[in-house]
Amino acid sequence: LARNIAVKVNQFDRTIFWRNFREYAAGAVLFVVFGFQLFDAEHRTTALAGLAPVGFVLIYMWNQHRRVRPLDPTADPRTYHSELLKRYDDQIKLLRTVKYWYVLPIYAYLLVVLARVPSSLPGRIIPFVIVTAFGAFVIWLNEGYGVRKLKDDKAKAESLFEEQAGEGFGESK
């Protein structure tokens, strides 16, 4: 039982690692793009405005995930199980607040860019609607679909321990 739950924890950690890796890679690309834009006086303001939210999002993500402790190989199944459930709870909490630490900073940057683009008001409405719709989609994807999926997976993880412990795979194994 301990080994089965440890495998589940490691799979979950690996999934989160690769999701974070993609975010960090995208952030690195944006840092390079904005870094080159700093040398162009015309784009310097928007480049600085872009570095701030990207840096904030990456630091926030790093700060949230640096607290994850590796599993103790000598722990019992109940400890592994509680660690797995804690990881699910942490991810659910993180996704429930995505509109504040992820979407809002990036959305604010995109509004700054839209405001700086020389265009008439009607010419700004369509890009504004697209940016707003994309932000709403990201919020729904994380706070709606993502949280719901994590809750379902957590419920399966909760029942996994109960089923296997009930079948004679108690803490001694």
Side-chain angles (χ1 to χ4, degrees):
L1 179 59
R3 185 174 48 245
N4 289 345
I5 296 174
V7 166
K8 296 273 186 210
V9 173
N10 288 327
Q11 287 173 339
F12 186 79
D13 288 348
R14 198 170 25 258
T15 299
I16 299 303
F17 170 82
W18 285 111
R19 185 208 59 206
N20 289 349
F21 180 82
R22 289 188 303 269
E23 294 290 339
Y24 293 138
V29 168
L30 288 173
F31 268 117
V32 169
V33 168
F34 292 141
F36 279 114
Q37 287 180 350
L38 287 173
F39 295 108
D40 181 4
E42 185 179 328
H43 295 102
R44 191 168 292 136
T45 303
T46 53
L48 286 171
L51 288 171
V54 170
F56 174 79
V57 167
L58 295 180
I59 290 169
Y60 189 88
M61 281 180 48
W62 174 80
N63 190 42
Q64 293 299 310
H65 293 101
R66 71 184 176 94
R67 300 180 201 147
V68 175
R69 298 182 321 248
L71 293 176
D72 177 7
T74 63
D76 61 280
R78 194 166 301 283
T79 302
Y80 285 158
H81 188 247
S82 66
E83 278 297 317
L84 179 59
L85 297 180
K86 182 181 180 329
R87 281 166 162 78
Y88 276 114
D89 288 337
D90 290 346
Q91 286 303 305
I92 289 168
K93 180 181 171 188
L94 185 66
L95 291 186
R96 280 188 172 152
T97 60
V98 80
K99 70 176 143 266
Y100 304 115
W101 64 268
Y102 191 86
V103 174
L104 184 62
I106 295 169
Y107 183 73
Y109 164 73
L110 292 172
L111 291 181
V112 167
V113 170
L114 285 176
R116 292 185 51 86
V117 172
S119 178
S120 63
L121 184 60
R124 292 181 188 198
I125 290 175
I126 291 174
F128 173 77
V129 169
I130 291 170
V131 166
T132 302
F134 182 73
F137 173 72
V138 171
I139 291 169
W140 170 83
L141 189 63
N142 286 275
E143 294 184 11
Y145 174 76
V147 168
R148 190 171 39 257
K149 184 169 176 1
L150 282 172
K151 283 182 173 181
D152 291 345
D153 291 348
K154 180 184 174 192
K156 289 176 189 171
E158 285 172 337
S159 66
L160 169 78
F161 184 80
E162 301 300 326
E163 288 170 8
Q164 289 189 2
E167 294 174 3
F169 294 106
E171 290 184 39
S172 62
K173 295 199 179 203

